[in-house]
Amino acid sequence: QQQVKQSPQSLIVQKGGISIINCAYENTAFDYFPWYQQFPGKGPALLIAIRPDVSEKKEGRFTISFNKSAKQFSLHIMDSQPGDSATYFCAAALGNQFYFGTGTSLTVIP
Amino acid sequence: ETGVTQSPTHLIKTRGQQVTLRCSSQSGHNTVSWYQQALGQGPQFIFQYYREEENGRGNFPPRFSGLQFPNYSSELNVNALELDDSALYLCASRYDTGPYEQFFGPGTRLTVL
């Protein structure tokens, strides 16, 4: 059973636009929700993370919105740039176990 | 760069063989986790080592095993390789306490023929 469901699978956005990626989870015991960015040939790199007692967290152009009652969280990338083109993974963690979504391939067109 | 390194970068094995993948964690990180990332999928948790002891395991069979050494290095061993073991294998290290932030290495691409 997929613990974390991620959508869309792929996303194309114009430069300067807003990219939005959504995730939903099942287990209400999850207590840490990170987003990772992965470039080809590289390992995932932590982008931003949130805990369930906070509804929103912003770091620069990246914002996580968290809806505990709906068991959903999303990543918003404002003013998207071509350098943001990468694969993005959401994850949910409980203790030492991380469950990843299936990834979203983001392409930002100049 | 995260300070986490993995070797080798690529590896080709045949079905039934055994393989050892290596990871060098960031200095001071007592915890290392290993993940399997199939093509087009998210990483799947294999297991975690904390101070040289396995302290968590995902849904992987016993032929996946590991070791962690005092010098912040670790190994993932896979016996009796199967075609479905072809994937990118990632290690990630972190401090034993803290807000779960973990730092991934670049991975080892394993191909099983």
Side-chain angles (χ1 to χ4, degrees):
Chain A
Q1 181 185 6
Q2 186 74 23
Q3 295 269 6
V4 179
K5 295 181 180 179
Q6 183 172 346
S7 63
Q9 186 176 1
S10 62
L11 184 61
I12 300 175
V13 173
Q14 294 277 354
K15 178 183 176 181
I18 302 173
S19 304
I20 301 174
I21 305 171
N22 301 299
C23 283
Y25 62 96
E26 292 294 323
N27 190 342
T28 56
F30 288 139
D31 61 356
Y32 179 68
F33 300 88
W35 283 90
Y36 291 89
Q37 179 188 57
Q38 186 175 28
F39 293 104
K42 302 285 188 181
L46 178 66
L47 199 58
I48 186 172
I50 199 168
R51 294 197 180 270
D53 54 346
V54 177
S55 62
E56 185 175 279
K57 183 175 181 180
K58 183 176 181 179
E59 290 184 0
R61 296 185 294 112
F62 302 95
T63 299
I64 299 179
S65 296
F66 188 84
N67 186 329
K68 190 173 182 177
S69 61
K71 294 189 288 184
Q72 295 176 346
F73 58 111
S74 61
L75 175 69
H76 296 235
I77 305 174
M78 312 299 288
D79 187 26
S80 298
Q81 299 296 312
D84 297 331
S85 297
T87 300
Y88 292 81
F89 293 96
C90 63
L94 175 61
N96 56 22
Q97 294 219 15
F98 282 67
Y99 299 88
F100 283 77
T102 51
T104 296
S105 177
L106 171 65
T107 302
V108 181
I109 300 172
Chain B
E1 297 298 323
T2 63
V4 180
T5 60
Q6 292 186 245
S7 62
T9 305
H10 297 89
L11 199 54
I12 299 175
K13 291 286 189 177
T14 56
R15 192 170 49 184
Q17 284 189 311
Q18 179 267 341
V19 69
T20 296
L21 310 181
R22 292 180 173 82
C23 172
S24 179
S25 299
Q26 190 167 326
S27 180
H29 286 186
N30 290 327
T31 301
V32 64
S33 300
W34 285 89
Y35 293 84
Q36 181 194 67
Q37 185 177 18
L39 201 60
Q41 299 295 315
Q44 288 202 46
F45 176 73
I46 302 174
F47 47 57
Q48 178 178 281
Y49 276 77
Y50 170 66
R51 294 186 176 179
E52 304 164 45
E53 297 284 335
E54 183 181 307
N55 77 334
R57 190 174 187 95
N59 190 26
F60 281 82
R63 60 189 184 85
F64 286 79
S65 64
L67 287 171
Q68 185 186 25
F69 304 101
N71 65 350
Y72 304 116
S73 66
S74 58
E75 293 180 353
L76 165 66
N77 299 290
V78 187
N79 293 322
L81 284 167
E82 301 176 0
L83 298 180
D84 285 349
D85 295 334
S86 295
L88 179 69
Y89 288 85
L90 298 160
C91 72
S93 72
R94 63 182 175 91
Y95 292 110
D96 54 356
T97 58
Y100 293 115
E101 182 171 358
Q102 55 184 348
F103 299 88
F104 283 87
T108 292
R109 172 71 64 189
L110 173 64
T111 302
V112 182
L113 302 176

